[in-house]
Amino acid sequence: MSEQNQSIHGQWSSRLAFILAVSGSAVGLGNIWKFPYITGVNGGGAFVLVYLVCILAIGLPILMSEIMLGRLGHKNPIATMKILGKRESGTTKWSVIGILGVFTGSLILSYYSVVAGWAMNYVLLSVQGSLASVDSDSAGQLFGGMVSNPINVFFWHSLFMLLTVFIVAKGLISGIEKSIRILMPLLIFLLLVLLVFSVINGEALAALRFLFSFNLDALTGDGFLVALGHAFFTLSLGMGAVMAYGAYLPKNFSLSKTAGAIVFFDTAIALVAGIVIFSVVFANDLDPTQGPGLIFQTLPIAFSSLPLTSVVAFLFFILLVAAAWTSSISLIEPGVAWLIEDFGFSRKTSTYALGGLIWLLGLLSVFSFNHLADFTFWQGTWFDNFDFLTANLLLPFGGLLITVFAGYILSPSISEEEIDLGGKLGYRIWLFLSRYIAPAGIIIIFLDGLGVL
Ligand code: PHE
């Protein structure tokens, strides 16, 4: 291993700072935009159950492994896996985990930025007062009008990419730590306000029934794959984001407590967002299966019946943008750290070069809702394909390689020291999940989802 025991980019100032940073990466559009809409499309309860099982049995052990590997390597994910692979098995081929991760992160950011752009556009709409009194018809028209205007989506996508590279170019720790400390608590507060609203005004019981009545027959093989993929997507796993952040984590912080807190936090936010959104959906006879536009059409209706409509809408979408922002930073950071460490470019050059490429690629998603809306193949539009390929295939595949490395290649004397799950039993549970349950779960769901089983 390298002699260095600290990353050249610095270290988190406290355990809380690390938890906030990884939570900032984890909590994003995945929780508030994607979770409700894929739950709607996949029929509710059974999907949620599979998702929760995937989070606990596959996501949590892999989250620990990713933090552990990052902390052992102290470098960008490509270099970290090269160093650890060489030391543990005499081959540098494990760096493929990092290479795949940089590729996957870039693909995700290219369409993530487009959706974050929609949220930015809604901030403006709320300032203009357009969200002050919407009903189910006008909410649909507002969303449709927005995405079908290519110049509009192009503009917001570009602005969001600029925001992202701006922070990353400044340096990770000062940029991220500061913003997340304020934004996260605010986001939670607003979600709780909306939760109270939805219990009083919406159909909260119907929402709970939809989310938690488990009828496994309703779920297709594809649904299993989407649930697995979303467990990775929402925890930012399988592409090195957490590994990159783990590299900045001091040795004396407890890994399992940290991972547990992040999983709890991320899952709670998704479930609360789900309750809020489906309460509104059922109270207004909206279609739960309408897809990516779901929150943009339901939330304005919820806001309309609150006092200070425009202010609440404004705050909410600002916070959604902020949550997306702290995630987008972590999507590009592994690639940037790699360009800096392995090629010697400056942080600025690395960030703007990679950011520019991702921005360009994002144009395919920008046009997926207008000019290229009819150009469909495999899963649908370019946007649909990027989403399916990355979330449902590339992230779980990256996770599979990570768990195989952590469970089989890394010597147990090292992992036992790192995985501080409260004694031998805790470690054995982690090892069992990492060696058998996580790999088997991913492979079976892959085969099932791709129609082989
Ligand atoms: N976890 C983020 C979200 O839920 C998305 C993300 C995926 C971020 C992968 C980093 C890596 O919005």
Side-chain angles (χ1 to χ4, degrees):
M1 189 161 107
S2 89
E3 291 308 303
Q4 220 180 331
N5 55 15
Q6 189 178 333
S7 158
I8 60 166
H9 306 288
Q11 284 198 341
W12 304 109
S13 59
S14 65
R15 189 170 86 100
L16 182 67
F18 177 73
I19 294 184
L20 283 174
V22 181
S23 307
S25 165
V27 175
L29 296 172
N31 306 60
I32 296 168
W33 161 72
K34 196 171 179 194
F35 173 71
Y37 105 68
I38 55 178
T39 300
V41 170
N42 288 287
F47 175 82
V48 176
L49 178 66
V50 176
Y51 156 77
L52 291 175
V53 170
C54 288
I55 290 271
L56 284 181
I58 302 176
L60 185 57
I62 295 184
L63 178 62
M64 290 192 201
S65 299
E66 261 205 46
I67 302 175
M68 168 177 75
L69 296 176
R71 184 160 73 174
L72 287 170
H74 293 300
K75 291 228 155 88
N76 71 77
I78 297 179
T80 285
M81 290 315 302
K82 202 185 260 172
I83 295 168
L84 296 178
K86 179 109 186 113
R87 195 184 64 190
E88 299 292 321
S89 66
T91 164
T92 54
K93 292 212 178 83
W94 288 99
S95 61
V96 69
I97 292 178
I99 297 170
L100 198 71
V102 168
F103 176 70
T104 309
S106 305
L107 281 185
I108 295 180
L109 183 53
S110 78
Y111 72 86
Y112 200 85
S113 162
V114 172
V115 180
W118 298 347
M120 290 176 91
N121 196 345
Y122 268 60
V123 173
L124 180 68
L125 291 177
S126 68
V127 173
Q128 292 170 333
S130 315
L131 301 183
S133 60
V134 284
D135 55 22
S136 35
D137 287 338
S138 54
Q141 282 159 6
L142 206 61
F143 179 75
M146 172 184 78
V147 295
S148 59
N149 179 344
I151 310 249
N152 195 31
V153 187
F154 171 83
F155 171 77
W156 293 107
H157 160 64
S158 309
L159 192 62
F160 185 79
M161 278 307 298
L162 268 178
L163 275 180
T164 301
V165 292
F166 174 71
I167 286 280
V168 177
K170 264 177 74 134
L172 188 69
I173 293 181
S174 56
I176 293 199
E177 264 201 48
K178 271 203 203 103
S179 38
I180 300 180
R181 263 175 206 272
I182 310 167
L183 299 172
M184 276 289 168
L186 254 179
L187 180 72
I188 295 170
F189 173 74
L190 254 198
L191 263 182
L192 291 178
V193 171
L194 285 173
L195 182 66
V196 172
F197 154 82
S198 64
V199 170
I200 298 173
N201 280 351
E203 292 279 346
L205 272 183
L208 287 174
R209 214 173 299 125
F210 182 69
L211 287 170
F212 298 108
S213 57
F214 304 126
N215 170 12
L216 272 180
D217 296 342
L219 202 60
T220 60
D222 204 40
F224 275 91
L225 189 58
V226 177
L228 172 76
H230 191 63
F232 280 90
F233 187 88
T234 191
L235 291 175
S236 306
L237 291 180
M239 50 69 66
V242 176
M243 208 186 281
Y245 279 11
Y248 317 139
L249 184 67
K251 182 97 195 128
N252 53 347
F253 293 169
S254 158
L255 200 147
S256 53
K257 276 195 211 136
T258 308
I262 293 162
V263 165
F264 173 79
F265 196 51
D266 186 79
T267 310
I269 292 195
L271 292 176
V272 170
I275 296 173
V276 169
I277 284 161
F278 288 111
S279 300
V280 180
V281 165
F282 294 127
N284 292 278
D285 287 328
L286 296 170
D287 174 13
T289 66
Q290 62 186 272
L294 185 66
I295 68 158
F296 293 95
Q297 304 189 36
T298 48
L299 286 180
I301 299 176
F303 298 143
S304 288
S305 32
L306 283 176
L308 298 175
T309 309
S310 297
V311 179
V312 179
F314 171 77
L315 268 180
F316 184 85
F317 284 111
I318 279 273
L319 290 172
L320 184 60
V321 171
W325 197 14
T326 51
S327 301
S328 66
I329 290 168
S330 72
L331 282 163
I332 197 174
E333 174 64 18
V336 168
W338 174 54
L339 291 176
I340 299 172
E341 290 170 13
D342 290 16
F343 296 89
F345 296 125
S346 71
R347 184 166 265 277
K348 264 210 175 77
T349 311
S350 312
T351 311
Y352 286 111
L354 186 60
L357 267 179
I358 295 173
W359 169 79
L360 206 61
L361 190 65
L363 298 185
L364 287 171
S365 294
V366 165
F367 298 132
S368 288
F369 296 86
N370 34 71
H371 291 318
L372 295 177
D374 296 328
F375 182 81
T376 53
F377 59 102
W378 193 35
Q379 303 293 325
T381 59
W382 279 104
F383 176 90
D384 299 325
N385 283 305
F386 283 149
D387 179 29
F388 191 88
L389 173 70
T390 53
N392 303 344
L393 302 179
L394 292 176
L395 292 181
F397 182 65
L400 178 64
L401 296 179
I402 290 169
T403 196
V404 165
F405 186 87
Y408 291 98
I409 311 288
L410 190 70
S411 65
S413 60
I414 298 181
S415 53
E416 187 162 4
E417 202 188 312
E418 291 279 326
I419 304 287
D420 49 354
L421 255 179
K424 265 237 154 343
L425 180 67
Y427 174 70
R428 280 183 189 281
I429 295 176
W430 171 83
L431 196 62
F432 181 71
L433 292 174
S434 300
R435 281 193 171 171
Y436 307 109
I437 303 297
I442 295 171
I443 291 172
I444 292 171
I445 293 179
F446 262 175
L447 295 179
D448 186 36
L450 299 175
V452 183
L453 281 188

